[in-house]
């Protein structure tokens, strides 16, 4: 499936990340990724609800523990950043969470 659009996310340290945007009900391919659950505001902008990372996107999305909570807050879209390094998944996720402070992430990692 072709992405709806490409979004640029920013990290607290100034890094930028390219995310492809899809409807939340897509079929997920295997492989590592950073991802974000998004809602669309009345103004047509995207609001970050949750940020996560995984070494296998297909497996992670099969029964995600934040899916229902994010849906209650208007989750309609998922943004996916592929081509990420397994060595930096944790720090990249923390960098993004520290910038956006998503409402469904319980802990803001230090870093």
């Amino acid at each position: 499936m072709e992405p709806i659009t490409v979004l640029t996310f920013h990290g607290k340290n100034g890094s930028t990340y390219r995310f492809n945007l899809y409807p939340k009900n897509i079929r997920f391919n295997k492989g590592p990724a950073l991802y974000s659950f998004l809602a669309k505001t009345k103004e047509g902008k995207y609001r970050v609800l949750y940020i996560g990372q995984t070494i296998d996107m297909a497996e992670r999305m099969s029964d995600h523990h934040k899916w229902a909570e994010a849906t209650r807050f208007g989750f309609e879209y998922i943004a996916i950043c592929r081509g990420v390094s397994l060595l930096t998944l944790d720090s990249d996720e923390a960098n993004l969470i520290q910038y956006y402070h998503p409402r469904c992430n319980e802990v803001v990692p230090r870093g």
Side-chain angles (χ1 to χ4, degrees):
M1 170 183 258
E2 288 294 314
I4 296 168
T5 191
V6 176
L7 302 174
T8 300
F9 281 46
H10 300 275
K12 183 179 179 185
N13 71 2
S15 294
T16 58
Y17 305 84
R18 290 177 47 91
F19 281 76
N20 290 327
L21 183 72
Y22 301 96
K24 73 176 188 179
N25 60 347
I26 67 162
R27 184 167 180 242
F28 300 99
N29 295 326
K30 292 183 177 207
L34 294 165
Y35 61 91
S36 178
F37 295 168
L38 304 170
K40 200 165 193 180
T41 67
K42 293 176 187 173
E43 296 80 24
K45 296 184 179 181
Y46 296 100
R47 183 170 35 107
V48 177
L49 300 172
Y50 181 81
I51 293 172
Q53 54 93 359
T54 182
I55 59 170
D56 186 341
M57 191 70 181
E59 183 179 324
R60 183 74 179 110
M61 292 300 127
S62 66
D63 187 27
H64 198 285
H65 70 291
K66 290 293 182 173
W67 196 276
E69 179 183 354
T71 298
R72 287 194 301 275
F73 293 119
F75 166 39
E76 297 179 60
Y77 302 94
I78 187 160
I80 302 171
C81 178
R82 296 283 189 170
V84 294
S85 168
L86 293 176
L87 299 175
T88 63
L89 272 177
D90 289 337
S91 61
D92 288 334
E93 176 191 36
N95 190 29
L96 289 162
I97 291 170
Q98 289 167 0
Y99 184 86
Y100 289 100
H101 298 277
R103 72 183 308 160
C104 296
N105 285 90
E106 289 131 8
V107 176
V108 176
R110 296 181 199 207

